[in-house]
Amino acid sequence: MIKEFIETKITQECDVLVCGGGVAGISAALAAARQGKKVTLLEKQFMLGGLATAGLVVIYLPLCDGEGNQVSFGIAEELLRLSISMGAEADYPDNWLDSDDKSRRTNRDKRFSVRFNPSLFAILAEQELIRAGVNILYGTYAVGTHLESDKINAVIIENKSGRQAIKATSVVDATGDCDIANFACAPTTTFKQGNILAAWYYSYGKDGYQLNPLGCCDIPDEEQTEDNKITPLINERFTGLDGAELSKMTIASHASTLNDIKKKRKEDKTAVPTTIATTPQIRMTRKIVGEYVLGTDEQHTYFDDSIGMVSDWRKRGPVYEVPFRTLYSKDIKNLIVAGRCTSVSESLWDVMRVIPCCAVTGQAAGTAAAMSDDFSSLDIKALQDKLKTDGVILHEKDL
């Protein structure tokens, strides 16, 4: 690895390197750039948003606990509002956005969530990042790291220009697959249950423009019962961490889309697919083993080092404070993770992988990365003060 680094030309240097341009990466890059840092964002696709846009998972899941209380704030709310600033596709949360009447926000009303248009959200997010001064590198994969002692000195990348290296003071792993942590040999673990096949796509026909969420949900093994078992599109699960496997999954996804269109055509000869996902619709793959592992049973638990709160999109009631210690391992001092890479139990992973949680952890990671290159010794109080200044509420007792 050292020989490879020596032979790789350093083409850029930055204060904060954010790897991955999904919602977690967007949030991290915005947070760091708004502190005046030089930020570069790497994204393998040629659009921002990750699964939320290229993957057509276009539901901005709840910022609230389902009982009338908003729990996720800051960039998490900013991006929700941005995603529908040119109109929502469905489920517009008027009881949250157009009314100050808190009596409308009961557990009988709509949660603070919405369905957005993926193309508009991707472009609007790009414009926000450009305004903040973020340097975006599209079509770029991180393929390795170079370490000096217990810090990442540079990340090795590949794109149309070939193999290069970017030096960075601190690095945010928002890859969704915890790739940077894995390259740097930080402790990680993989998703044991594996991912079901998904094939979300848009179509148009006699009933108009429609989202078709094939393979729309999964249930953790420990929560499955005879009553809630799902029927998958195919009887196979995917790790999401193997190139050949991802190709196989993509082909199966395309076949499922075609089969669904053929079914539609039996009743509607005009039915056609208009947009298919351009990235595999993988939910969970690999995550860091951080200084703390947050568990499902820790709902409504106070943490001194909380960096924000998230709810459970699957049911009403639970609220989780997210400890800063779930975002890093002291083994690699200047590496911090965000999004579905965070250190949580297997059962909580399905909660922490979704858009609001990615935004909450992304904002915290980007803010921390702008403040320090040693997260194990970062002044937590200073980080929390900055997050509070930027609109984040840290503890459930402060709602």
Side-chain angles (χ1 to χ4, degrees):
M1 179 61 73
I2 293 176
K3 180 180 179 182
E4 177 182 49
F5 175 77
I6 291 171
E7 295 174 349
T8 302
K9 182 179 180 181
I10 296 171
T11 57
Q12 288 190 32
E13 296 188 23
C14 60
D15 300 315
V16 178
L17 178 62
V18 179
C19 301
V23 171
I26 291 167
S27 303
L30 280 174
R34 287 170 178 174
Q35 292 194 65
K37 297 300 181 179
K38 185 178 180 182
V39 179
T40 292
L41 173 65
L42 311 180
E43 171 50 45
K44 64 184 179 181
Q45 303 286 335
F46 281 86
M47 69 187 301
L48 295 172
L51 275 176
T53 57
L56 304 184
V57 185
V58 292
I59 302 171
Y60 207 117
L61 288 166
L63 301 179
C64 69
D65 63 358
E67 296 182 346
N69 305 300
Q70 182 178 350
V71 299
S72 298
F73 298 85
I75 289 177
E77 180 178 351
E78 177 186 345
L79 291 182
L80 183 147
R81 291 176 178 271
L82 180 70
S83 75
I84 56 172
S85 59
M86 294 182 67
E89 280 197 350
D91 304 321
Y92 181 81
D94 58 333
N95 57 324
W96 292 94
L97 298 179
D98 297 336
S99 173
D100 293 326
D101 182 0
K102 292 187 178 181
S103 68
R104 296 186 61 199
R105 301 172 185 172
T106 69
N107 60 5
R108 293 180 299 277
D109 280 322
K110 291 182 293 187
R111 295 185 70 172
F112 197 175
S113 59
V114 74
R115 203 179 100 195
F116 55 85
N117 179 272
S119 300
L120 286 173
F121 187 26
I123 296 170
L124 291 167
E126 178 184 83
Q127 291 183 342
E128 283 299 310
L129 289 168
I130 297 301
R131 272 192 286 271
V134 176
N135 173 41
I136 303 171
L137 277 180
Y138 283 123
T140 300
Y141 281 81
V143 297
T145 58
H146 179 259
L147 303 179
E148 286 187 356
S149 185
D150 50 8
K151 290 184 178 180
I152 296 173
N153 179 53
V155 173
I156 300 168
I157 65 168
E158 287 186 353
N159 59 24
K160 191 66 175 177
S161 300
R163 179 162 288 206
Q164 310 149 59
I166 299 178
K167 290 193 70 174
T169 303
S170 57
V171 179
V172 179
D173 187 341
T175 60
D177 298 327
C178 221
D179 286 335
I180 309 305
N182 185 54
F183 293 146
C185 297
T188 61
T189 187
T190 57
F191 183 46
K192 299 177 182 63
Q193 183 171 327
N195 296 267
I196 62 170
L197 182 69
W200 294 37
Y201 74 99
Y202 281 95
S203 64
Y204 188 83
K206 66 181 182 181
D207 295 324
Y209 175 68
Q210 291 187 330
L211 174 67
N212 304 276
L214 303 183
C216 64
C217 63
D218 195 11
I219 299 172
D221 284 341
E222 62 270 28
E223 297 180 16
Q224 288 192 21
T225 66
E226 288 301 320
D227 294 330
N228 68 10
K229 279 187 177 179
I230 62 168
T231 302
L233 296 174
I234 61 172
N235 190 27
E236 185 173 356
R237 287 183 175 268
F238 303 87
T239 68
L241 295 172
D242 178 86
E245 179 202 56
L246 284 171
S247 297
K248 180 180 179 182
M249 180 185 180
T250 299
I251 292 167
S253 175
H254 293 166
S256 295
T257 297
L258 183 60
N259 287 338
D260 199 58
I261 281 291
K262 287 179 177 178
K263 289 179 183 177
K264 288 182 184 296
R265 286 223 171 157
K266 291 179 180 179
E267 297 182 1
D268 178 10
K269 297 296 184 183
T270 68
V272 290
T274 57
T275 310
I276 64 172
T278 56
T279 192
Q281 295 164 329
I282 288 286
R283 293 171 170 87
M284 294 164 279
T285 55
R286 182 168 48 213
K287 57 184 171 64
I288 200 166
V289 179
E291 297 307 298
Y292 191 84
V293 180
L294 184 65
T296 310
D297 59 346
E298 293 180 287
Q299 54 187 267
H300 310 298
T301 299
Y302 177 91
F303 288 100
D304 286 336
D305 63 336
S306 173
I307 49 80
M309 293 175 287
V310 300
S311 62
D312 189 332
W313 63 272
R314 306 167 304 180
K315 55 189 173 185
R316 301 175 185 273
V319 176
Y320 295 93
E321 295 188 9
V322 183
F324 181 61
R325 289 164 291 161
T326 62
L327 305 187
Y328 70 92
S329 164
K330 63 184 178 182
D331 291 10
I332 307 295
K333 294 189 180 300
N334 68 335
L335 174 66
I336 192 164
V337 306
R340 70 185 195 209
C341 299
T342 55
S343 181
V344 297
S345 67
E346 186 97 352
S347 57
L348 192 61
W349 205 344
D350 191 42
V351 172
M352 289 299 295
R353 67 178 175 83
V354 300
I355 292 176
C357 306
C358 289
V360 168
T361 55
Q363 181 172 3
T367 303
M371 297 174 67
S372 177
D373 64 348
D374 183 351
F375 302 116
S376 60
S377 63
L378 176 63
D379 183 342
I380 299 299
K381 176 73 164 53
L383 171 62
Q384 290 176 319
D385 286 346
K386 176 58 180 168
L387 290 170
K388 286 191 285 187
T389 298
D390 292 339
V392 176
I393 297 179
L394 303 173
H395 302 290
E396 193 173 5
K397 70 179 181 62
D398 296 326
L399 291 175

